[in-house]
Amino acid sequence: MTPASTSGAVPSANVTINVAASASITSADRAGIQIDSTKGTGTGTVDTAGTITAGTAGVLAQTNVGALRVTNSGSITAPFGILGESVTTTLTNTGTIKAGVGMAAQAGVATISNAGTVTFGTAGLAAVTSGGVLTNTGTLTYDGSIADPFAANVLDGLPTLARSINLALTQVTQGSGPTPTGMAGLSQGDLTVSNSGTITGGAIGIAALAQGALSLQNTGTITSGGTGVAAQAGVAAGEGTSARAGTLTFSNSGAISAAGGPAALLRTYGGSLTVANSGTLGGLVGLNAAEVQGAAGSALTISNATGGSIVGTSGLAIDTSASSIASRIDNRGTITGAVNLSAGSSVANSGQFNATGTSGFGGGVFNNLGTLSVVPGATRAANVTLGGLSEFRNAGTISLVNGRA
């Protein structure tokens, strides 16, 4: 029976769609499943355990002010795996998605989580939100052979939501277009991003930009062809716009490897930046961190705990030279490479500092309570410079031993 309707009325019915594991949906040029309630007030729920192959999106759901929840435990192949928009949107994958963009949402509050497998060409998980949470406990794998989800023939079959995701990915990855990224978040407020799974390939492992508080946590594995993690909290004042102060907290107890850039590239505007590493940060630069526009009471602190390792394969292990405030580094683990620090910085080393090349300490203090080794493992004569020091205090060990006569 067709529901009764009133001309000019606002639809208020809830929509629920269930797809059984034995079911299969194929749509050559449209979405596999679509909920279009952009002017309604009802909720939308999709649970799919079946197989969906679609020309635009596996699941496309818009519910205006009603809560939206989409869960996939089956298999989806499409330019967009799941594409959702609502005031409150929750997208979950425990199955398999192969798509240009695995799961993407535009929402006041967005919660996106993957515990399954997402193979992506442009982005694994993406959120445009006023406050959200992105979580990966599964596998996100880049595949460069997957077609562009933002090609004209795909966008023509989708609402403007897809174009909004395109613009957001371009902004958060700070490229001329979307850069292949495992997890991407753009928030006008706070944002939490966590990975305890595996992210492999792409130009960026995790990219995040929040105008409020940004929390990033990695306990898993990130392997990137470019930058491991790129994150910014707060925004600078621009033409016709005011500055927004943001704080950034980054913790890593897993492994982040970046072949073409820093393992972690972190920026704040007007708020504190805190780094806690007990895992591995390895890239051309191990850690590049800066508070670009300092504010009263803000701080830039870097803690490398026992068992932690920060390595710069191009020479720089830690670079805070772009920071407008002093950086405070507490090393109890291992730092391998040189450092280039902001003015007035201090380093307390009670672990292992394997110095190479030329370091700049910004006119600050180096306090050695552990071991400072000069180019350990060198196969020929090498020079090390510790420059820009106002004071060097040693109560530990300085080792020149490298196995060469």
Side-chain angles (χ1 to χ4, degrees):
M1 177 184 296
T2 303
S5 62
T6 303
S7 177
V10 176
S12 59
N14 299 329
V15 178
T16 299
I17 299 173
N18 294 306
V19 180
S22 59
S24 178
I25 299 173
T26 301
S27 175
D29 59 357
R30 297 294 174 183
I33 296 172
Q34 182 170 1
I35 297 176
D36 183 0
S37 184
T38 55
K39 296 182 180 179
T41 60
T43 63
T45 302
V46 178
D47 286 291
T48 173
T51 300
I52 300 175
T53 304
T56 57
V59 179
L60 170 60
Q62 296 169 284
T63 59
N64 193 22
V65 297
L68 172 64
R69 181 180 66 81
V70 180
T71 301
N72 173 60
S73 59
S75 175
I76 298 176
T77 302
F80 288 84
I82 302 173
L83 186 57
E85 182 178 27
S86 180
V87 171
T88 303
T89 300
T90 302
L91 309 181
T92 304
N93 177 58
T94 59
T96 301
I97 297 175
K98 184 176 183 179
V101 176
M103 293 191 287
Q106 180 170 277
V109 177
T111 303
I112 303 178
S113 59
N114 173 58
T117 299
V118 176
T119 304
F120 66 93
T122 301
L125 314 179
V128 184
T129 182
S130 296
V133 177
L134 278 77
T135 305
N136 177 54
T137 59
T139 301
L140 303 174
T141 304
Y142 170 68
D143 182 347
S145 70
I146 296 176
D148 180 11
F150 300 109
N153 65 309
V154 176
L155 293 179
D156 287 346
L158 291 168
T160 57
L161 167 61
R163 289 176 171 82
S164 297
I165 298 297
N166 184 11
L167 292 173
L169 287 173
T170 300
Q171 183 178 353
V172 76
T173 59
Q174 300 185 19
S176 57
T179 301
T181 303
M183 302 173 71
L186 176 64
S187 176
Q188 295 179 352
D190 299 341
L191 182 66
T192 299
V193 182
S194 65
N195 173 58
S196 59
T198 301
I199 302 174
T200 305
I204 305 174
I206 297 175
L209 195 161
Q211 295 187 19
L214 174 57
S215 175
L216 286 170
Q217 181 180 30
N218 178 61
T219 60
T221 301
I222 299 173
T223 305
S224 169
T227 300
V229 173
Q232 176 181 314
V235 292
E239 186 174 350
T241 61
S242 58
R244 289 284 301 274
T247 60
L248 196 163
T249 302
F250 171 72
S251 65
N252 174 58
S253 59
I256 301 177
S257 176
L265 175 62
L266 312 174
R267 294 288 185 269
T268 61
Y269 287 81
S272 293
L273 196 167
T274 303
V275 177
N277 179 61
S278 59
T280 300
L281 293 175
L284 292 183
V285 177
L287 172 64
N288 186 316
E291 184 176 330
V292 181
Q293 294 178 346
S298 61
L300 169 54
T301 58
I302 299 168
S303 172
N304 188 40
T306 302
S309 175
I310 302 175
V311 180
T313 58
S314 69
L316 274 181
I318 300 175
D319 186 357
T320 67
S321 60
S323 182
S324 63
I325 65 170
S327 41
R328 302 286 179 260
I329 299 173
D330 178 14
N331 177 50
R332 304 183 184 202
T334 301
I335 295 174
T336 301
V339 298
N340 188 21
L341 307 182
S342 54
S345 295
S346 65
V347 176
N349 176 52
S350 56
Q352 179 78 32
F353 194 131
N354 298 320
T356 65
T358 299
S359 289
F361 289 84
V365 176
F366 188 107
N367 188 14
N368 183 48
L369 299 172
T371 300
L372 172 63
S373 294
V374 177
V375 199
T379 58
R380 58 176 180 239
N383 294 322
V384 167
T385 300
L386 304 181
L389 278 170
S390 63
E391 189 173 357
F392 180 88
R393 305 169 185 163
N394 181 55
T397 300
I398 299 175
S399 174
L400 306 179
V401 176
N402 60 16
R404 305 294 294 175

